C-alpha cells in the first residue's frame, strides 16, 4: 500500500529532516508513528500525503511512484486517503455537516446521495446534536471528531492522523482511539502520529519511531517489514 | 465548455440578492438567497469595491460601444441621404433677378435624365441652414447668402454629373454643382476614426478589467489559501478549485456588468435631453446632433450593451480561471 525507499527530506538548503527512511505499510494495518517533538513526524505524514516532495528516495502510494505522478493523479490518490490534522483544518464558514460532506462534494457526488451518510456518521461520532453548528462553537473534542468524520466519510483506504489526541482530555482521547480501531476493523489502514505513550500503550500495534530523522521499527512489528 | 458549465451551475436565482444591498437582499424569499454552503465565501472574492470597479468599466465600455454605434448609424443615414442628392449653389452676387435664375436652373435640371425631383430652396430656407452658425435669420437678410437647389437623383440610374455640371456652366453664370463626394469621404473618415478610437478605448477597458481581475484573483486566493489547502487534502483537483473561484467571478461579472450596462442604458435614454442641456450653444448642439443623430439608441444598440455584459462576464470568468491555475501551479 505504502512504500518508502531510502527517502530523505530537507527544507531548502538546510539539514536533512528525514534520512534514509525505508518502510512498508500493508493494507488493513494499524501503526503508531512516534518520536520526540521535532523528530519529523509531521514531515513524514506530509510526505505520505503528497504535500511535500522528498529530496531523495522513492515513495510509492497505492503502487504509484509519486515522482512520476502528475498533479491530477495526486488528487485522485488523495481521495483514497483521509487525513486528520492536529489543528483540525475545519472551514469556519461551513457547518459541521457541510465540513464533513466536503470530500464527497469534491468527488462530484450530489447532496441527495450523501446526505443520509453524513448525518449517520455525525451521529456515530457523537455529533448528532451539533450538525448545524459552526466550528467556532465546537469544543476541541468536537472539532477533532468532526475532523475525523471528514477524513473517513469517503471510506478511505488509508487514514493518517497527526496528534489526534493532542487537544483533547484523556477520556475523549481514548474514545477517539476506539474510533480509529473500529475504522481499522472495517478495513481502513491507520497511521497515527503521536508522542502520547499512554495512548500507544492501550493498543498492541507496531510503532514507527523517528529519532533524529531516522526511522526505527518498534518491538511490535505486525505489518511492518 | 467549462464556461458553459459554470453558467449552467451558477445559482442564478441568487443573482438578485447579489445585486441588491445586503439589507434589502436579506428580505428576499429563501429561494432567492445565495447558497449558504459555498466553499469559497463570496465576500472573500468579490468585495463591493471590486464590483464597483467592474461596473464602472462596463459602463465606460457600454458608453463607448453605444457612442460608436450611434455615430456609425448617424453617418450611414447621412451618407445614404446625401448619396441620393446633389446640391446646386447659385451665387446671388452679379445676378440681377435671382428668383428668375433659380426657376430657370430648376427647369433645366428637371429635364435632365436621372433627376427625379428638383426643389429650389427659398432665401429663408437657405438662411435657416446657417442659423446655428451665424445667428437669427433676420440678421442674414442683408448678406448675399447663396441660394440652393436640392436635386434628388435616381440611384439606380444616376445622371452623368460631369455632363450636367458642364451644361450648367455653359448656360448659367455663377452656378456650381456639389455632388457631396468630399463630404461622403470626410464622413467615412470620421466614422472610421471614431470606430478606431472606440476600439482602442474598449481594448483599454478590457485590459484594465483583466488586470483588476488578475489582481483580485491573486488576492482572493491568498485570502483563501487555507481553504485551498483543505480542498487539496480532501482530494480536490485544480479544476474543482478553479470552478469554486470562477463561479464567484462569473457572478461578479454578471452583477457588475448588468449594473454598468443599466447605468449606460439610462444615460442613452436621457441622452436626447442631455444633448440639449449640455449642448453648449446652438452650434455645438447642431454639430453633436450631426455626429450622434437624435442621440437615441435603437434596439440593436441596446442589444450591443447586452453583448458587452456577456463579454465582461466571460472576461471575468476566463481571466480568474487562468489566474487560479497559475497560482495553483506555483503552489505545486
Amino acid at each position: 500500500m505504502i512504500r518508502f525507499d531510502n527517502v530523505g527530506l530537507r527544507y531548502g538548503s538546510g539539514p536533512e529532516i528525514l534520512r534514509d527512511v525505508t518502510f512498508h505499510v500493508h493494507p488493513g494495518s494499524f501503526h503508531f508513528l512516534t518520536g520526540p517533538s521535532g523528530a519529523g513526524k509531521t514531515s513524514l505524514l506530509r510526505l505520505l500525503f503528497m504535500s511535500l516532495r522528498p529530496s531523495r528516495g522513492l515513495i510509492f502510494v497505492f503502487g504509484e511512484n509519486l515522482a512520476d505522478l502528475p498533479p491530477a493523479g495526486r488528487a485522485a490518490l488523495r481521495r483514497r486517503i483521509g487525513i486528520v490534522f492536529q489543528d483540525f483544518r475545519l472551514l469556519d464558514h461551513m457547518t459541521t455537516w457541510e465540513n464533513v460532506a466536503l470530500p464527497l462534494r469534491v468527488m462530484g457526488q450530489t447532496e441527495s446521495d450523501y446526505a443520509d451518510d453524513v448525518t449517520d456518521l455525525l451521529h456515530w461520532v457523537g455529533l448528532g446534536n451539533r450538525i448545524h453548528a459552526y466550528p467556532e462553537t465546537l469544543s476541541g473534542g468536537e472539532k477533532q471528531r468532526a475532523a475525523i468524520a471528514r477524513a473517513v466519510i469517503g471510506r478511505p483506504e488509508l487514514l493518517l492522523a497527526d496528534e489526534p489526541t493532542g487537544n483533547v482530555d484523556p477520556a475523549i482521547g481514548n474514545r477517539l482511539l476506539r474510533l480509529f480501531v473500529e475504522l481499522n476493523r472495517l478495513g481502513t489502514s491507520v497511521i497515527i502520529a503521536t508522542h502520547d505513550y499512554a495512548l500507544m500503550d492501550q493498543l498492541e500495534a507496531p510503532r514507527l519511531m523517528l529519532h533524529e530523522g531516522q526511522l526505527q521499527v518498534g518491538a511490535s512489528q505486525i505489518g511492518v517489514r | 465548455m467549462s464556461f458553459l458549465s459554470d453558467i449552467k451551475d451558477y445559482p442564478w436565482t441568487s443573482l438578485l440578492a447579489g445585486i441588491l444591498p445586503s439589507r434589502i437582499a436579506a428580505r428576499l424569499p429563501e429561494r432567492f438567497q445565495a447558497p449558504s454552503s459555498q466553499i469559497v465565501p463570496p465576500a472573500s472574492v468579490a468585495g463591493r469595491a471590486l464590483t464597483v470597479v467592474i461596473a464602472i468599466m462596463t459602463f465606460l465600455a457600454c458608453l463607448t460601444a453605444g457612442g460608436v454605434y450611434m455615430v456609425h448609424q448617424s453617418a450611414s443615414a447621412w451618407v445614404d441621404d446625401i448619396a441620393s442628392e446633389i446640391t446646386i449653389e447659385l451665387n446671388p452676387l452679379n445676378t440681377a433677378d435671382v428668383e428668375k435664375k433659380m426657376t430657370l436652373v430648376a427647369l433645366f435640371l428637371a429635364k435632365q435624365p436621372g433627376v427625379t425631383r428638383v426643389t429650389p430652396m427659398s432665401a429663408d430656407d437657405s438662411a435657416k441652414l446657417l442659423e446655428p452658425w451665424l445667428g437669427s435669420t433676420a440678421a442674414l437678410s442683408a448678406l448675399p447668402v447663396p441660394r440652393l437647389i436640392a436635386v434628388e437623383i435616381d440611384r439606380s440610374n444616376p445622371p452623368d454629373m460631369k455632363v450636367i455640371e458642364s451644361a450648367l456652366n455653359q448656360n448659367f453664370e455663377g452656378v456650381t454643382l456639389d455632388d457631396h463626394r468630399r463630404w461622403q469621404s470626410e464622413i467615412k473618415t470620421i466614422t472610421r476614426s471614431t470606430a478606431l478610437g472606440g476600439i482602442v478605448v474598449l481594448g483599454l477597458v478590457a485590459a484594465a478589467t483583466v488586470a483588476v481581475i488578475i489582481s483580485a484573483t491573486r488576492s482572493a486566493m491568498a485570502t483563501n489559501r487555507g481553504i485551498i489547502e483543505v480542498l487539496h487534502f480532501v482530494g480536490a483537483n485544480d479544476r474543482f478549485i478553479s470552478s469554486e473561484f470562477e463561479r464567484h467571478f462569473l457572478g461578479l461579472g454578471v452583477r457588475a456588468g448588468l449594473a454598468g450596462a443599466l447605468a449606460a442604458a439610462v444615460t442613452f435614454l436621457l441622452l436626447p435631453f442631455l444633448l440639449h442641456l449640455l449642448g453648449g450653444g446652438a452650434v455645438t448642439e447642431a454639430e453633436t446632433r450631426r455626429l450622434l443623430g437624435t442621440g437615441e439608441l435603437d434596439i440593436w444598440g441596446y442589444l450591443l450593451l447586452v453583448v458587452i455584459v456577456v463579454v465582461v462576464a466571460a472576461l471575468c470568468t476566463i481571466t480568474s480561471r487562468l489566474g487560479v491555475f497559475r497560482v495553483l501551479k506555483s503552489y505545486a
Side-chain angles (χ1 to χ4, degrees):
Chain A
M1 177 174 260
I2 303 284
R3 203 176 90 212
F4 273 49
D5 283 343
N6 294 311
V7 170
L9 174 72
R10 67 171 80 236
Y11 292 106
S13 56
E16 274 202 320
I17 304 295
L18 298 173
R19 287 198 304 276
D20 299 321
V21 174
T22 299
F23 68 95
H24 194 172
V25 175
H26 292 286
S29 58
F30 194 118
H31 297 91
F32 286 113
L33 174 62
T34 188
S37 288
K41 297 190 294 293
T42 301
S43 295
L44 185 55
L45 279 185
R46 290 183 70 187
L47 284 173
L48 277 166
F49 198 65
M50 296 162 274
S51 71
L52 279 180
R53 290 170 191 271
S55 311
R56 60 187 174 87
L58 293 174
I59 300 176
F60 293 86
V61 176
F62 301 119
E64 300 277 357
N65 183 352
L66 296 188
D68 301 334
L69 209 59
R74 228 171 275 151
L77 287 190
R78 281 191 183 119
R79 292 180 186 184
R80 299 167 68 182
I81 303 173
I83 186 159
V84 182
F85 298 97
Q86 192 174 0
D87 56 356
F88 319 124
R89 302 280 186 100
L90 297 171
L91 301 183
D92 289 337
H93 64 287
M94 296 170 80
T95 63
T96 307
W97 192 93
E98 289 164 350
N99 266 289
V100 172
L102 190 60
L104 302 179
R105 200 166 154 183
V106 162
M107 286 179 197
Q109 295 186 22
T110 54
E111 192 174 316
S112 56
D113 288 340
Y114 59 70
D116 290 343
D117 290 345
V118 173
T119 305
D120 288 348
L121 180 60
L122 280 168
H123 281 287
W124 192 67
V125 297
L127 291 175
N129 59 342
R130 307 292 277 152
I131 282 175
H132 301 295
Y134 285 90
E136 60 184 12
T137 65
L138 300 179
S139 68
E142 287 173 332
K143 285 180 185 173
Q144 192 67 281
R145 278 178 279 158
I148 291 168
R150 185 181 64 186
V152 302
I153 187 70
R155 296 179 186 165
E157 294 163 56
L158 173 66
L159 179 71
L160 306 173
D162 190 6
E163 302 284 3
T165 57
N167 293 291
V168 295
D169 58 49
I172 292 177
N174 291 338
R175 192 173 165 186
L176 292 177
L177 182 63
R178 286 202 297 278
L179 187 61
F180 291 131
V181 170
E182 186 64 27
L183 288 169
N184 180 241
R185 201 175 296 155
L186 292 170
T188 300
S189 300
V190 179
I191 299 178
I192 296 176
T194 182
H195 59 261
D196 183 350
Y197 285 93
L199 183 81
M200 287 185 280
D201 287 343
Q202 292 181 41
L203 195 69
E204 181 74 17
R207 297 178 187 183
L208 306 171
M209 288 178 289
L210 272 171
H211 184 67
E212 293 182 349
Q214 288 191 302
L215 190 75
Q216 298 165 346
V217 179
S220 180
Q221 296 186 22
I222 305 162
V224 180
R225 285 178 189 166
Chain B
M1 286 300 284
S2 60
F3 175 59
L4 294 178
S5 67
D6 284 337
I7 290 172
K8 185 172 145 283
D9 297 341
Y10 189 77
W12 293 106
T13 50
S14 68
L15 193 66
L16 190 62
I19 296 169
L20 294 171
S22 51
R23 268 188 304 174
I24 300 170
R27 293 179 187 172
L28 290 171
E30 194 178 343
R31 68 196 177 95
F32 291 112
Q33 302 285 346
S36 58
S37 59
Q38 296 188 67
I39 294 173
V40 176
S44 68
V45 173
R48 190 165 291 174
L50 182 63
T51 309
V52 169
V53 169
I54 302 299
I56 291 172
M57 293 294 176
T58 311
F59 176 70
L60 293 175
C62 287
L63 279 192
T64 307
V68 169
Y69 177 78
M70 237 181 234
V71 169
H72 179 264
Q73 290 298 92
S74 176
S76 297
W78 215 22
V79 166
D80 252 17
D81 200 24
I82 60 177
S84 58
E85 197 177 276
I86 59 173
T87 305
I88 307 299
E89 193 176 306
L90 195 151
N91 187 346
L93 294 173
N94 305 321
T95 303
D97 190 343
V98 176
E99 296 302 331
K100 187 182 173 187
K101 197 171 182 178
M102 284 281 285
T103 308
L104 289 172
V105 172
L107 288 171
F108 171 81
L109 289 167
K111 289 177 193 163
Q112 302 304 312
V115 171
T116 55
R117 193 174 177 183
V118 179
T119 313
M121 295 178 75
S122 68
D124 281 350
D125 288 340
S126 296
K128 272 181 187 167
L129 292 174
L130 296 171
E131 201 176 36
W133 288 269
L134 300 179
S136 69
T137 47
L140 295 172
S141 58
L143 295 172
V145 176
R147 297 294 299 278
L148 304 172
I149 300 172
V151 180
E152 281 180 32
I153 57 172
D154 181 359
R155 290 182 74 177
S156 59
N157 179 31
D160 187 333
M161 297 297 174
K162 284 183 181 170
V163 171
I164 292 181
E165 190 173 19
S166 170
L168 280 171
N169 288 337
Q170 279 178 6
N171 296 306
F172 305 99
E173 194 186 344
V175 174
T176 53
L177 182 148
D178 182 1
D179 62 2
H180 307 145
R181 276 187 195 164
R182 187 172 67 84
W183 279 99
Q184 286 185 46
S185 162
E186 284 184 9
I187 289 169
K188 282 175 184 167
T189 305
I190 289 171
T191 310
R192 269 199 300 270
S193 306
T194 312
L196 195 66
I199 289 167
V200 170
V201 172
L202 287 177
L204 288 173
V205 168
T209 305
V210 167
V212 168
I213 294 295
I214 287 174
S215 169
T217 304
R218 284 184 182 156
S219 168
M221 292 195 72
T223 305
N224 294 294
R225 178 81 187 247
I227 293 174
I228 293 169
E229 280 181 5
V230 170
L231 287 174
H232 268 145
F233 292 143
V234 297
N237 55 26
D238 289 357
R239 180 69 199 90
F240 181 91
I241 295 170
S242 167
S243 71
E244 288 302 311
F245 284 89
E246 273 169 39
R247 193 173 300 150
H248 291 303
F249 280 101
L250 172 64
L252 163 77
V254 173
R255 279 197 311 272
L258 282 177
L262 199 66
V266 170
T267 308
F268 282 121
L269 282 173
L270 296 175
L271 196 60
F273 307 103
L274 292 175
L275 281 181
H276 181 66
L277 286 174
L278 307 172
V283 177
T284 314
E285 188 181 341
E287 291 291 359
T288 313
R289 284 193 186 283
R290 267 173 181 73
L291 188 67
L292 298 177
T294 58
E296 286 170 6
L297 210 55
D298 61 18
I299 184 70
W300 296 108
Y302 284 107
L303 278 176
L304 188 63
L305 305 191
V306 176
V307 170
I308 287 176
V309 174
V310 174
V311 170
V312 166
L315 208 60
C316 288
T317 313
I318 293 166
T319 307
S320 72
R321 176 188 305 168
L322 297 176
V324 169
F325 274 114
R326 180 171 282 193
V327 176
L328 288 176
K329 203 173 174 185
S330 74
Y331 288 174

